[in-house]
Amino acid sequence: MILGLDISTSICGFAVIDKRGMLVHHTALDLRKEKNIFAKCESFIQKLKETRQTYYGIDEVYIEQSLHMFMGGKSSAKTLSLLTRFNGMVSWVCYDQFGKEPKYISAGSARKHCGIKIPRGQKAKKVVIEYIADTEPTFVVATTRFGNPKPEFFDRADAIVIARAGYNLEHTTWQHYPRGKMNEKKKILYEILGPYIDRNKEFLFACPKCNHHKRKLSVNIDKNMFKCWVCDYRGRNIVRLVKRFGS
């Protein structure tokens, strides 16, 4: 099972997808009345324990990656800092409860893995909640007296997208692509590691292990090898790299 989490200091979304790829649970945790970040974390711990006890077959936890930079009209420095701190606390709680590191995926990447496209000029959250309402039979949106979706359902929808993307990543392996399918393999690496420098048969990415500011992770698809020239993270099977940081 995959647990998807949309983390916010206001409302957190939870979603569970089973081994068949079916959405079996979605809910939200309203933290707006909690007085501080520690009280919010305590509430989150309780909710996570309840989820784990009910859905004890959870194998992987996927968390929406928090913003790492300022975006016009979105978050202030104070909000961004608070969210980053809370995200770190939540990550530790997940590690403590499930005994393994959670995996992170950006909202944009998650939507891409689910086949959700945001038309220019439209709000992503509105498009996402409409998409989930159309594709997930168990997702029924409750509305306010004005006919608008209640706030928590946006967070539920985002959590479902994270869980669905996690499921798709876990079930799309490197071996699914024949040796000659270079473009498909480059696409997978791009989605997991980001932009790269193409040096014929060698591709240079930013290393996800040491996070060096330059692209020092060398990946040779033909030889099925990778090596970071800074931290010496290396391997003779790219599947290992893909599994750890992506699928």
Side-chain angles (χ1 to χ4, degrees), residues 79-115:
T79 301
L80 196 59
S81 175
L82 183 64
L83 179 58
T84 300
R85 285 162 55 201
F86 188 56
N87 197 291
M89 295 167 76
V90 164
S91 296
W92 164 250
V93 170
C94 290
Y95 176 77
D96 183 55
Q97 288 293 312
F98 294 99
K100 62 193 311 182
E101 294 181 28
K103 298 178 180 179
Y104 304 92
I105 185 168
S106 68
S109 181
R111 291 194 291 264
K112 186 174 181 181
H113 281 290
C114 294

Side-chain angles (χ1 to χ4, degrees), residues 110-149:
R111 291 194 291 264
K112 186 174 181 181
H113 281 290
C114 294
I116 303 174
K117 295 182 179 180
I118 309 299
R120 186 181 297 275
Q122 293 193 29
K123 293 183 177 180
K125 282 190 172 292
K126 183 175 184 296
V127 173
V128 167
I129 197 171
E130 290 176 351
Y131 178 90
I132 296 301
D134 289 340
T135 57
E136 299 288 355
T138 62
F139 185 75
V140 180
V141 180
T143 59
T144 65
R145 61 193 180 94
F146 298 107
N148 299 316

Side-chain angles (χ1 to χ4, degrees), residues 12-231:
C12 291
F14 291 67
V16 178
I17 289 180
D18 68 13
K19 295 183 183 295
R20 302 167 300 162
M22 302 295 292
L23 176 65
V24 294
H25 176 67
H26 61 84
T27 188
L29 175 63
D30 194 337
L31 299 172
R32 289 174 291 185
K33 293 183 179 180
E34 301 293 354
K35 59 183 179 180
N36 57 49
I37 194 173
F38 300 102
K40 293 175 188 289
C41 191
E42 287 180 351
S43 294
F44 179 85
I45 291 172
Q46 184 60 39
K47 190 71 171 180
L48 188 69
K49 285 182 177 179
E50 292 173 3
T51 304
R52 183 190 176 199
Q53 289 168 0
T54 305
Y55 301 95
Y56 55 85
I58 293 172
D59 306 299
E60 301 289 347
V61 178
Y62 276 79
I63 299 176
E64 182 179 323
Q65 194 172 52
S66 59
L67 293 174
H68 288 177
M69 62 185 70
F70 292 107
M71 297 179 69
K74 295 225 173 169
S75 299
S76 66
K78 182 179 179 180
T79 301
L80 196 59
S81 175
L82 183 64
L83 179 58
T84 300
R85 285 162 55 201
F86 188 56
N87 197 291
M89 295 167 76
V90 164
S91 296
W92 164 250
V93 170
C94 290
Y95 176 77
D96 183 55
Q97 288 293 312
F98 294 99
K100 62 193 311 182
E101 294 181 28
K103 298 178 180 179
Y104 304 92
I105 185 168
S106 68
S109 181
R111 291 194 291 264
K112 186 174 181 181
H113 281 290
C114 294
I116 303 174
K117 295 182 179 180
I118 309 299
R120 186 181 297 275
Q122 293 193 29
K123 293 183 177 180
K125 282 190 172 292
K126 183 175 184 296
V127 173
V128 167
I129 197 171
E130 290 176 351
Y131 178 90
I132 296 301
D134 289 340
T135 57
E136 299 288 355
T138 62
F139 185 75
V140 180
V141 180
T143 59
T144 65
R145 61 193 180 94
F146 298 107
N148 299 316
K150 290 186 175 180
E152 70 171 70
F153 283 88
F154 290 101
D155 300 277
R156 291 188 188 210
D158 286 342
I160 293 170
V161 170
I162 296 298
R164 176 67 63 196
Y167 178 85
N168 291 341
L169 283 167
E170 293 296 327
H171 291 80
T172 303
T173 64
W174 190 257
Q175 294 98 319
H176 285 171
Y177 295 91
R179 184 178 178 83
K181 296 289 186 178
M182 177 70 78
N183 289 334
E184 286 87 342
K185 291 186 174 182
K186 284 195 295 184
K187 183 179 179 181
I188 291 175
L189 291 171
Y190 174 79
E191 291 176 350
I192 295 170
L193 302 174
Y196 57 86
I197 298 174
D198 189 343
R199 291 186 175 176
N200 197 8
K201 294 183 178 181
E202 180 187 31
F203 304 92
L204 296 177
F205 294 88
C207 178
K209 188 169 178 66
C210 69
N211 293 313
H212 193 271
H213 64 283
K214 292 186 178 180
R215 298 187 180 107
K216 292 294 184 179
L217 178 68
S218 171
V219 179
N220 191 310
I221 295 177
D222 282 347
K223 293 182 179 180
N224 197 22
M225 297 169 59
F226 63 91
K227 175 182 177 180
C228 176
W229 295 98
V230 176
C231 68

